[in-house]
Amino acid sequence: MNPNANPLQPLLNQQGRTSPHGSVAILWDIENCPVSSDVINPHHDWYLSTLSSFYSPDGILPTYLYTYNHVLDGFSAVLSQSHLDQLEKMPGHLATYPETFGTIHTTHTPKFLGLENNFGSWPGGNFGEDMVIGILDTGIWPESESFQDKGMAPVPDRWRGACESGEEFNSYLCNRKLIGARSFSKALKQRGLNISTPDDYDSPRDFFGHGTHTSSTAAGSPVADANYFGYAKGTATGIAPKARLAMYKVLFSNDTYEPPASDTLAGIDQAIADGVDLMSLSLGFPETTFEENPIAVGAFAAMEKGIFVSCSAGNSGPHGYTIFNGAPWITTIGAGTIDRDYAADISLGNGILNIRGESVYLEDLLISQVPLYFGHGNRSKELCEDNAIDPKDAAGKIVFCDFSESGGIQSDEMERVGAAGAIFSTDSGIFLSPSDFYMPFVAVSPKDGDLVKDYIIKSENPVVDIKFQITVLGAKPAPMVADFSSRGPSRRAPMILKPDILAPGVDILAARAPNRGITPIGEDYLLTDYALLSGTSMASPHAFGVAALLKSALPDWSPAAGPIMDMTTGVVGTPLDFGAGHIDPNKAMDPGLIYDIEAQDYIDFLCGLNYTSKQIKIITRRSKLSCDQANLDLNYPSFVVLLNNTNTTSYTFKRVLTNVENTHSVYHASPSVVSFPGKYSKAEFNMTVEINLGDARPQSDYIGNFGYLTWWEANGTHVVSSPIVSAIAPIIGT
């Protein structure tokens, strides 16, 4: 989906023609609803009564979809233009939004994050015990070992959720680990995008495998000897292994995996009603103003009820201004690598030269003394360009393809010529997908590629040995930001640093639905219970898994403090790629200071963005609003200086720090000193940042220098760092 698309365009059917009927979300001023106090859900009944009163000149009646009780005041329905005209004349009608569609953002990581059984966040956070994580995704495969409930206590009495039966899914499949499973597809079906049997299940069961993967990453039970065809073998464990899971399926297979806004809002609304403690959405909608974005609206309601919301940043990198889920009350997660790699060992000649390259070829194959081919002297053949190589020269051989600025690998050409395999010289090997290695392929660095090339040119009969299925731990450098991970600034609120933080999101091993082949090997697709997947979708579960540990350990922990506690103690990185750095669970458990934010602060921020009272009311559900304290300088743990049509600027930031230690403490950031008499005491400071680019003329996508404000605890161990960054980023109007 085009992230710049206008969600308020006319409703279109699949052929692109204006449809006479379409699903819409209707927001209502409930103070103008003449409802009875004797009815359990009076607004719901009034909405139904309203729909039934409409005149339908074409004989097709309105179709009710959902009532929203928490995320907004209103309902969704399928209406004709005549119905809309009648609706918009009624007193109390606030706004109507046509359906929009979102996009999906698609073992060793607990150890990489420093989680240990007897130390730090795992025991300190009770392994996330009894925290309920709500996940909006493609469903779940309940039979996976990652969702077994051995040793888990009974489901908490406070839980109000349920397991719904449906196609290939019975309620008895839930247990003490998987305590809720629902699906939401009314808007999808009414739009004519029926669930594609046999390509999905009309139930909470996962077909695609994405929701199973994200769920097990966040809170999967320990599973010994989990592996991906011999790679990454070990015990697969979720970040919060004792947390409970509730799946809200909003993504179904149709022409695409695009979830309707109405269904997504219904899933969020139900998760709030069921009583989840944390919520994750590895999907995104076009970056509109916040009141038009269903995730932003739903997340605000969740935040006000103390629910931590984590969302993927999107997979539209590596360019700037590509971030999704940029509302400041959402913790937005970018994707990074971990220190585990997958490799093949190459031996040239009789051990003349040994090189290790990247590979995830699935067979435990030993290639021995196979001839090498390189199209030396013809640049098209050297680069393995399409139709360049003569099959007579390369069939049955290992082909070497020289480095190309275009990057990638030339797998189609290898198939065409009947090669036995290939060695590719590339600088993008670390970000290749496992599915790229469906033949015996190895990716080597350009430096090592030159060594291979030199050996072939100088040898009369070049041959090679290759050994696959090698897992490397401790690979460096790590973490690195993933090439695909969306970057900031946000176009809608560029003064807020996004993403907030980086988490593991490249080649993450976790459970998947074993119902269909996912991994190509030759012309076949292999089944697997555990798969390596990459995306900011994989990063987000790590973040809210850590948040579950924090919330379990710290009863008075707030959603607003959540991202701050992770961010200010993360590994320092490039701010518009990494946010405030890489997530660090153990340091996050003991942050020292936080930058706390209240709901009213967000309202003041919306006022500062010049949102109208109507827009703010849609987001906040509040009738009485005041913009007397309008302010774009949110108490965020980062500082963004915007340059718009100027080479110089100066901006003074105001921040309030909160001490979360039980004792008196003093911090200094030379030359300033702040003192805290006790726990929850606060200290205010101002910081002025001046930018002068001299005669340089910044481009429209200029990302300037960055640095960090660091508070050091006197006579203590806490260090609290916050990034400072400058960028050209005009604010898109409301």
Side-chain angles (χ1 to χ4, degrees):
M1 173 173 284
N2 179 0
N4 298 315
N6 177 10
L8 295 181
Q9 60 191 330
L11 296 173
L12 302 178
N13 63 18
Q14 287 176 284
Q15 286 72 42
R17 297 186 296 270
T18 301
S19 173
H21 295 265
S23 53
V24 295
I26 301 101
L27 283 74
W28 216 265
D29 184 350
I30 59 174
E31 293 180 358
N32 287 289
C33 293
V35 299
S36 171
S37 60
D38 298 330
V39 181
I40 294 177
N41 194 341
H43 297 120
H44 169 77
D45 291 350
W46 189 82
Y47 299 148
L48 293 179
S49 176
T50 298
L51 289 176
S52 66
S53 70
F54 288 162
Y55 169 65
S56 302
D58 57 4
I60 301 177
L61 300 176
T63 301
Y64 163 82
L65 297 178
Y66 302 104
T67 292
Y68 304 113
N69 296 309
H70 302 281
V71 295
L72 49 82
D73 294 322
F75 64 101
S76 58
V78 180
L79 305 177
S80 69
Q81 186 61 52
S82 173
H83 298 147
L84 281 172
D85 293 341
Q86 296 172 65
L87 177 78
E88 291 173 350
K89 294 176 182 177
M90 299 184 68
H93 173 264
L94 188 61
T96 301
Y97 293 110
E99 193 69 84
T100 57
F101 288 79
T103 53
I104 194 170
H105 292 157
T106 185
T107 70
H108 173 67
T109 50
K111 185 175 182 180
F112 177 68
L113 294 175
L115 294 171
E116 302 285 349
N117 283 328
N118 301 310
F119 170 79
S121 292
W122 257 358
N126 304 311
F127 300 89
E129 187 170 9
D130 280 350
M131 291 293 102
V132 180
I133 296 174
I135 299 178
L136 279 76
D137 215 302
T138 64
I140 197 163
W141 194 267
E143 294 89 352
S144 171
E145 285 189 72
S146 288
F147 308 128
Q148 55 86 13
D149 62 354
K150 183 179 179 180
M152 296 193 74
V155 177
D157 292 338
R158 62 185 173 85
W159 177 242
R160 301 182 295 274
C163 281
E164 299 176 350
S165 295
E167 184 181 1
E168 299 293 328
F169 195 99
N170 292 306
S171 59
Y172 65 75
L173 292 170
C174 288
N175 56 20
R176 293 180 177 184
K177 163 63 72 175
L178 177 61
I179 64 173
R182 302 179 188 267
S183 63
F184 302 84
S185 59
K186 291 180 181 178
L188 183 75
K189 293 173 181 175
Q190 289 296 327
R191 196 59 182 269
L193 300 174
N194 290 325
I195 297 168
S196 304
T197 303
D199 294 331
D200 207 334
Y201 306 98
D202 193 2
S203 74
R205 182 173 290 280
D206 191 6
F207 177 86
F208 188 55
H210 190 274
T212 299
H213 196 280
T214 56
S215 298
S216 60
T217 299
S221 299
V223 178
D225 295 322
N227 66 91
Y228 178 71
F229 299 100
Y231 290 99
K233 189 172 184 179
T235 298
T237 303
I239 302 301
K242 290 188 178 181
R244 321 286 180 151
L245 285 166
M247 172 56 64
Y248 300 85
K249 183 176 179 178
V250 298
L251 287 146
F252 293 82
S253 176
N254 42 77
D255 291 341
T256 67
Y257 262 94
E258 295 184 345
S262 297
D263 292 335
T264 303
L265 272 172
I268 298 173
D269 197 77
Q270 189 63 61
I272 294 173
D274 288 347
V276 303
D277 298 299
L278 309 98
M279 193 184 306
S280 171
L281 298 93
S282 290
L283 54 100
F285 285 78
E287 283 297 284
T288 61
T289 50
F290 296 139
E291 90 285 355
E292 295 178 3
N293 187 306
I295 295 178
V297 171
F300 192 94
M303 175 273 300
E304 286 206 285
K305 293 182 181 297
I307 300 170
F308 174 86
V309 180
S310 167
C311 292
S312 49
N315 299 334
S316 300
H319 302 296
Y321 310 92
T322 54
I323 204 81
F324 283 78
N325 297 314
W329 50 87
I330 295 173
T331 303
T332 312
I333 313 300
T337 63
I338 61 174
D339 65 344
R340 181 176 61 195
D341 211 349
Y342 311 106
D345 283 341
I346 300 170
S347 181
L348 301 172
N350 293 311
I352 295 174
L353 180 64
N354 297 308
I355 293 171
R356 175 163 283 180
E358 306 275 344
S359 184
V360 199
Y361 182 63
L362 301 184
E363 290 189 85
D364 188 8
L365 178 67
L366 176 61
I367 291 175
S368 179
Q369 296 296 291
V370 175
L372 277 163
Y373 168 82
F374 176 55
H376 181 52
N378 182 313
R379 194 55 181 159
S380 293
K381 292 182 179 181
E382 290 179 346
L383 298 177
C384 304
E385 293 179 346
D386 290 347
N387 301 308
I389 300 173
D390 189 336
K392 295 178 182 178
D393 297 331
K397 298 179 181 180
I398 299 296
V399 177
F400 173 72
C401 300
D402 203 3
F403 175 74
S404 169
E405 292 294 340
S406 62
I409 60 176
Q410 297 74 34
S411 55
D412 290 345
E413 181 70 353
M414 298 305 99
E415 282 192 87
R416 187 188 68 81
V417 302
I423 300 171
F424 299 103
S425 177
T426 176
D427 57 2
S428 59
I430 192 172
F431 297 123
L432 291 174
S433 164
S435 61
D436 291 323
F437 297 93
Y438 62 91
M439 288 177 63
F441 294 155
V442 186
V444 299
S445 68
K447 179 180 177 181
D448 287 340
D450 288 343
L451 297 176
V452 175
K453 178 170 60 176
D454 185 64
Y455 161 74
I456 296 174
I457 293 172
K458 293 180 179 178
S459 299
E460 185 174 344
N461 296 301
V463 294
V464 64
D465 295 349
I466 305 177
K467 175 69 175 71
F468 293 92
Q469 286 203 347
I470 297 170
T471 299
V472 180
L473 298 179
K476 298 294 181 183
M480 293 172 54
V481 65
D483 184 67
F484 56 77
S485 188
S486 290
R487 270 69 165 176
S490 161
R491 290 188 180 273
R492 291 291 170 178
M495 67 292 298
I496 300 298
L497 180 63
K498 292 288 180 175
D500 289 301
I501 201 163
L502 195 79
V506 176
D507 288 339
I508 303 302
L509 181 73
R512 74 169 302 274
N515 57 322
R516 64 187 180 94
I518 184 177
T519 303
I521 185 77
E523 296 183 356
D524 297 323
Y525 279 80
L526 304 183
L527 298 172
T528 178
D529 292 324
Y530 288 82
L532 297 172
L533 296 181
S534 298
T536 53
S537 289
M538 285 64 249
S540 181
H542 288 87
F544 67 80
V546 170
L549 299 176
L550 296 176
K551 196 158 187 174
S552 178
L554 308 171
D556 51 1
W557 180 84
S558 72
I564 284 73
M565 294 172 73
D566 294 342
M567 290 164 61
T568 54
T569 51
V571 178
V572 172
T574 304
L576 290 164
D577 296 342
F578 277 35
H582 197 276
I583 195 167
D584 189 328
N586 292 325
K587 289 184 179 179
M589 192 69 71
D590 183 22
L593 302 176
I594 63 172
Y595 295 77
D596 208 356
I597 307 174
E598 303 292 338
Q600 184 60 46
D601 299 324
Y602 294 123
I603 294 173
D604 295 338
F605 177 75
L606 294 172
C607 292
L609 287 174
N610 292 322
Y611 275 43
T612 65
S613 58
K614 176 180 174 180
Q615 289 175 301
I616 298 173
K617 185 173 183 178
I618 291 169
I619 298 168
T620 66
R621 306 174 74 208
R622 300 187 184 191
S623 298
K624 296 181 180 180
L625 294 167
S626 171
C627 281
D628 291 345
Q629 302 297 319
N631 182 16
L632 288 175
D633 190 18
L634 193 62
N635 197 43
Y636 222 67
S638 56
F639 307 87
V640 179
V641 183
L642 300 180
L643 288 162
N644 296 312
N645 301 316
T646 179
N647 286 15
T648 63
T649 191
S650 175
Y651 192 88
T652 299
F653 297 92
K654 175 184 174 181
R655 292 291 186 271
V656 177
L657 293 164
T658 301
N659 179 36
V660 291
E661 292 301 301
N662 290 319
T663 61
H664 165 78
S665 60
V666 176
Y667 287 78
H668 63 87
S670 183
S672 299
V673 177
V674 291
S675 179
F676 303 90
K679 191 172 185 179
Y680 302 132
S681 56
K682 299 179 183 295
E684 180 181 309
F685 71 91
N686 294 327
M687 179 183 72
T688 300
V689 178
E690 297 180 351
I691 304 290
N692 188 338
L693 300 180
D695 295 330
R697 184 182 180 126
Q699 302 299 314
S700 61
D701 59 350
Y702 165 80
I703 305 294
N705 291 332
F706 62 90
Y708 292 86
L709 169 66
T710 301
W711 291 100
W712 302 82
E713 185 181 20
N715 302 316
T717 60
H718 296 105
V719 179
V720 181
S721 295
S722 299
I724 309 167
V725 64
S726 64
I728 290 284
I731 304 171
I732 297 178
T734 57

